[in-house]
Amino acid sequence: MGADLYREGLERLEAGDVEEGRRLLEAALRASPGDVAVMHGLARALDLAGERARAEELLELAHARAPDAPEPACDLAMFLLERGEEARAEQVLVPVLSALPSHPRANLHLALALAKTAPERARAHAAKARQGDEPEVREQAVALERVLASAASR
């Protein structure tokens, strides 16, 4: 039952029905408390509904439960990066990349976290991100590599 609610909730989110997606994902979490995928899905719905604080709380819980789960870690890292908390974002991403060293989004987000303080390491992670299948991640990695190269040549 929880899995069905979860799938239906994600389908509603993808279709743009945030309110119904959120309702279904909240029901899925009640049916499967502690399920990391459900927590992540509900966090996405809450973020889309403008409830960023609750979304971040759920991402923190999901990350604590499964530190190497890439999707909640990547979303949590982005929240942290948006606030300028690069060191904390790096801490969130390390377990993911220990388990999945080639994960494109995690490498991209770590490259972003390291861009100011460790540009060489950032370049290495951006290069790994560029190797992924997602066009958006590849484009962002290439753009970051250009910025890092430009900063290095100054």
Side-chain angles (χ1 to χ4, degrees):
M1 175 165 163
D4 291 337
L5 290 168
Y6 169 71
R7 279 191 296 280
E8 288 177 46
L10 289 183
E11 287 172 8
R12 296 309 322 145
L13 280 183
E14 294 296 320
D17 188 350
V18 174
E19 186 176 319
E20 182 63 9
R22 175 184 174 174
R23 187 189 71 72
L24 290 165
L25 289 164
E26 285 175 340
L29 189 58
R30 283 190 299 277
S32 302
D35 184 306
V36 171
V38 174
M39 283 190 255
H40 177 247
L42 180 54
R44 287 180 47 214
L46 291 168
D47 187 33
L48 291 169
E51 294 187 43
R52 185 154 267 219
R54 269 195 70 210
E56 188 171 345
E57 285 175 18
L58 267 177
L59 291 172
E60 289 279 7
L61 285 171
H63 179 66
R65 186 172 281 280
D68 60 349
E71 298 310 318
C74 286
D75 288 352
L76 177 57
M78 278 309 300
F79 280 20
L80 295 166
L81 288 169
E82 289 170 3
R83 286 200 310 263
E85 295 181 35
E86 288 87 358
R88 174 78 172 106
E90 180 181 1
Q91 290 174 338
V92 166
L93 294 165
V94 165
V96 173
L97 290 170
S98 291
L100 303 164
S102 298
H103 191 277
R105 261 183 85 214
N107 274 291
L108 174 63
H109 293 8
L110 186 55
L112 291 167
L114 297 170
K116 293 177 190 172
T117 58
E120 286 300 318
R121 285 181 55 213
R123 272 194 281 283
H125 287 285
K128 288 181 183 179
R130 191 173 17 88
Q131 302 306 313
D133 294 334
E134 295 177 53
E136 184 178 329
V137 171
R138 283 196 316 264
E139 290 169 14
Q140 291 175 357
V142 168
L144 180 57
E145 287 176 320
R146 278 195 299 267
V147 168
L148 290 168
S150 172
S153 66
R154 289 183 208 162

